[in-house]
Amino acid sequence: MISSVDGRLVSSRWTSLPNGDSEQTISNHYERIAARLGGDGFIIGRKTMEAFDGISSRPPFVGKQSGGLRDHNIAHEPGDPVAIVIDPSGKLHYQTNTIDGGHRIISILGDSVSDAYLQALRNQGISYLFAGPHCENLKQALAMLGAQFGLKTLLLEGGGVINGTFLKAGLIDEISLLIYPGIDGLSGVPSIFEYHGQRMNAPRPASPCAISVRKRLRMVSSGPGTSLRRCHRTHDTRNNGKPPTAGALASGSSRASAYASSI
């Protein structure tokens, strides 16, 4: 994951550096570190997925829910890199089944999506699975991704809300963080963890997390308009044969397998 010095995630707001570096420098550095993790793919939220070409968000299909299409659907070949999206209500509509250099899309859905929507996903060649009524069953999703889809290492790339959801579920094993040498400075801007719950019910790791500040970026400019894949969440299902636990954010070595609800 990458954040400003004050822990904010909206890169277009970060102060820039007066050294003339291209904004692409930070993106390239981020991707190089992510590549070291050897992930099978990454997980993002619905709003992040909307930004990719050929994908839009619309009101969910309304229709019947029978038994014929309710099993998980695997439409890609083993070994294909994957882009996993959390879309509880089935709002995303696709004109492609790949993004980001050939990553095949897998949609994690809530149980309430209609048969018509599932058929549309099948027609487009998109894999899917279910994670409870509102995509709240993170452990179920991780178990399915490991056991049925054969995924071992995933990078979690959501926003602060998704990260907070994983933290609350006790599924984060390790956090690796890149710190961009700039500041946002405004109260209320999304930060690394944004759990939307009660103060008395704040998230806590299930066990001590390993925290690794992998590298501070130096002389990297990210001025207005910078487009970054905001946080790489790392999931590693190499967990003694157990389902992936949710891995923490991006560009570092996060062991975990992750999923997010809260869209």
Side-chain angles (χ1 to χ4, degrees):
M1 160 166 216
I2 185 168
S3 79
S4 62
V5 171
D6 54 339
R8 306 302 184 183
L9 294 180
V10 183
S11 58
S12 61
R13 293 186 41 80
W14 299 344
T15 55
S16 58
L17 298 179
N19 55 19
D21 277 350
S22 165
E23 64 184 33
Q24 191 62 35
T25 303
I26 189 171
S27 181
N28 292 343
H29 186 77
Y30 182 83
E31 295 297 336
R32 282 197 300 272
I33 292 178
R36 297 175 191 171
L37 302 176
D40 299 319
F42 56 86
I43 297 178
I44 55 179
R46 177 180 60 83
K47 293 181 179 178
T48 303
M49 180 65 87
E50 286 178 18
F52 287 93
D53 291 339
I55 300 172
S56 60
S57 184
R58 308 175 194 170
F61 284 149
V62 176
K64 65 178 181 178
Q65 300 166 20
S66 65
L69 301 173
R70 313 312 289 186
D71 292 332
H72 66 274
N73 177 54
I74 301 176
H76 60 279
E77 296 295 325
D80 286 347
V82 298
I84 301 166
V85 59
I86 312 304
D87 186 15
S89 301
K91 292 182 177 180
L92 291 174
H93 293 257
Y94 303 90
Q95 296 178 341
T96 179
N97 58 23
T98 63
I99 62 169
D100 200 35
H103 286 71
R104 292 294 299 267
I105 296 170
I106 300 175
S107 183
I108 297 180
L109 303 166
D111 294 341
S112 64
V113 297
S114 68
D115 287 357
Y117 184 74
L118 298 178
Q119 188 61 60
L121 294 182
R122 287 176 178 253
N123 292 344
Q124 191 64 53
I126 291 175
S127 302
Y128 62 79
L129 65 149
F130 297 93
H134 305 289
C135 275
E136 71 279 6
N137 195 333
L138 305 180
K139 291 182 180 179
Q140 174 180 306
L142 294 181
M144 180 70 73
L145 290 171
Q148 300 299 325
F149 288 75
L151 302 177
K152 301 301 180 184
T153 305
L154 298 169
L155 305 180
L156 175 62
E157 301 181 357
V161 173
I162 287 177
N163 297 336
T165 301
F166 275 104
L167 182 65
K168 177 59 180 173
L171 296 173
I172 292 179
D173 295 322
E174 180 175 335
I175 298 170
S176 272
L177 179 64
L178 286 177
I179 300 176
Y180 170 79
I183 296 172
D184 183 305
L186 182 66
S187 175
V189 174
S191 61
I192 300 171
F193 293 101
E194 295 273 336
Y195 176 67
H196 290 179
Q198 299 297 318
R199 183 181 298 272
M200 297 293 291
N201 196 26
R204 293 287 185 273
S207 58
C209 286
I211 299 178
S212 173
V213 180
R214 301 288 290 186
K215 208 174 260 195
R216 294 191 180 108
L217 297 179
R218 298 172 39 220
M219 301 196 316
V220 174
S221 172
S222 176
T226 300
S227 174
L228 298 178
R229 293 201 322 203
R230 279 182 283 191
C231 43
H232 261 62
R233 321 151 199 190
T234 302
H235 316 188
D236 187 342
T237 60
R238 292 172 294 186
N239 196 18
N240 297 324
K242 299 177 182 178
T245 52
L249 333 144
S251 317
S253 72
S254 162
R255 287 187 191 171
S257 151
Y259 144 125
S261 97
S262 86
I263 307 292

